[in-house]
Amino acid sequence: QVQLVESGGGLVQAGESLRLSCVVSGSIFTFNAMGWYRQAPGKQRELVATITSGGSTNYADSVKGRFTIVRDNSKKAAYLQMNSLKPEDTAVYYCKADLRAVSFWGQGTQVAVSS
């Protein structure tokens, strides 16, 4: 059974940094794309950043230059380094991993940024 476990969320002040981790268990395969999405209260879930198995990345315009996504295929993990956090970054952050046509999601980790 494939499971994604996120960690690293928390409460920080504006301008500070956090690093989110996502570790996949229960699969011997390397996932195609992995990514981070977020959902703020009352809003739809939105893409934050994605990374392919080859390392190509894609970012939402709102986080470009502040967030960096990396992955470690040997550990089946993906990380999101978030710098210069803003109150509008407050949301539950979800990790997603795609294996062929199937997508797997983590349970989410809360990020709260105070002004």
Side-chain angles (χ1 to χ4, degrees):
Q1 182 178 354
V2 176
Q3 287 188 318
L4 279 65
V5 178
E6 302 108 329
S7 61
L11 172 62
V12 297
Q13 293 188 332
E16 295 185 339
S17 300
L18 282 174
R19 184 174 185 254
L20 305 183
S21 299
C22 172
V23 179
V24 182
S25 63
S27 173
I28 63 172
F29 300 104
T30 297
F31 287 83
N32 304 115
M34 295 185 72
W36 289 93
Y37 293 72
R38 67 187 181 187
Q39 188 166 17
K43 295 187 177 181
Q44 290 189 332
R45 191 172 298 188
E46 63 177 4
L47 179 150
V48 176
T50 61
I51 185 167
T52 67
S53 57
S56 296
T57 58
N58 179 50
Y59 295 93
D61 288 342
S62 60
V63 307
K64 282 181 181 177
R66 300 188 297 122
F67 291 11
T68 303
I69 186 171
V70 297
R71 65 187 284 173
D72 185 335
N73 291 331
S74 66
K75 296 181 179 179
K76 292 185 171 55
Y79 308 93
L80 185 68
Q81 178 66 43
M82 306 186 295
N83 298 328
S84 302
L85 283 161
K86 303 176 180 180
E88 51 263 44
D89 295 318
T90 295
V92 178
Y93 283 70
Y94 297 90
C95 178
K96 176 173 169 279
D98 296 330
L99 181 61
R100 298 188 183 94
V102 180
S103 294
F104 299 90
W105 290 88
Q107 82 289 350
T109 184
Q110 176 72 52
V111 172
V113 184
S114 64
S115 58

